[in-house]
Amino acid sequence: MKFQTYLIKYGEIGIKGKNRYMFEDALVRQIKHSLKDLDGLFHTYKAQGRVYVDCDGDYDGDEVVEALKRVFGIVGICPVVRVEDKGFEELKKDVIAYMDEVYPDKNITFKVESRRAKKTYPKKSMEINYDLGEAILYAFPEIRVDVHHPDVLLHVEVREEIYIYSEIIPGPGGMPIGTNGTAMLLLSGGIDSPVAGYMISKRGVGLEATYFHAPPYTSERAKQKVVDLAKQVSKYTGPIKLHVVNFTDIQLYIYELTIIMRRYMMRIAEHFAKEDGCLGLITGESIGQVASQTMQSLMATNDVCTLPVYRPLIGFDKQEIVEVSEKIGTYETSILPYEDCCTIFVAKHPVTKPNVNVIKKSEEKLADVIDDLMDQAISTVETIHVEA
């Protein structure tokens, strides 16, 4: 069956009080963006506490659903048959036709659940439930009623038109992009950072990203891998502004000092974040995963930042991170054998419990050279606009 309309269910937006319309508007904008490159004509709008997508033309319903499943803020996608209100007898015929086409195997249980948003409709919700249920049983004797655990929960919403649906396809949840500002993701070619960006964006945060490239020690293919990861994440977040920083000279100068190198990465990423009005930094760090992610190392890294640093994976183990990366489609790209600067330049004996005061003294000795190198890295940045 080809559905003319998709009813969009949202979650947290419904409890936003007087500001709810702002979140609904953001959700509508994101839905429009997700459908803009698909074949067909789509009209996305909100009405009476609902968001709808009306479809027309030559479109692929599966493609529409896949696009909607990547829009944060959606908790359910309901493929709807929309019929005119021509009286209850016609509605019974429409419901029977729906059940017959959608469920060719009639050895099922069902329950009717109606909502009468149009208060002038002559039947109340309980009457609609009872009478439509009776019509279905009469039309298909092998079907049975189960009001507690039905195989099919048939929804009928009576508005100016009548909406019939029984499937609710899960969406990603969260909040619409753009409702909670923008943050800067430190993006590498690994598994963790794309997942971190995805998880923060799920809370309505737009993304920019900074990648540290170290040619000739890291290849152009390694850089393309990161662009590809950004493109995959952008399926959920919308367009991403990616800053590619040439980090070779800084790394060659201090690669044995992992924490200092990490602190300069944070400084550079924060520079671009502030320049573009981002409200925080995002990293894919998880406590204890590597030497630079011990509690002491994370504290030393935080010390150079004035913006907040968000680490959504901080309590995850590696398998949990891998599962999310597989779900969002970044895993296969992340494991491609093109190493980035974080894996190539690794100290032989990394410090796991750095002392911030000692680190600062070491930086003071290096500052004249490294600060110049940092300024050069910032001035030669390559900016790429990435969009799926």
Side-chain angles (χ1 to χ4, degrees), residues 13 16 59 116 126 152 171 182 184 186 193 206 213-214 216 234 243 262 284 294 362 371 383:
I13 293 175
K16 290 302 180 181
Y59 65 92
R116 189 182 66 141
M126 288 300 293
V152 175
T182 306
M184 179 66 71
L186 278 79
S193 56
H213 192 40
S234 75
H243 306 270
R262 187 70 181 169
T294 63
S362 298
D371 286 353
T383 301

Side-chain angles (χ1 to χ4, degrees), residues 148-192:
H148 299 295
H149 303 287
D151 298 322
V152 175
L153 182 57
L154 180 67
H155 296 267
V156 178
E157 295 197 5
V158 179
R159 301 176 181 275
E160 293 307 313
E161 292 182 293
I162 298 176
Y163 298 84
I164 304 166
Y165 64 96
S166 58
E167 184 180 15
I168 302 177
I169 301 164
M175 301 296 291
I177 295 294
T179 56
N180 274 309
T182 306
M184 179 66 71
L185 171 66
L186 278 79
L187 182 62
S188 72
I191 296 171
D192 303 341

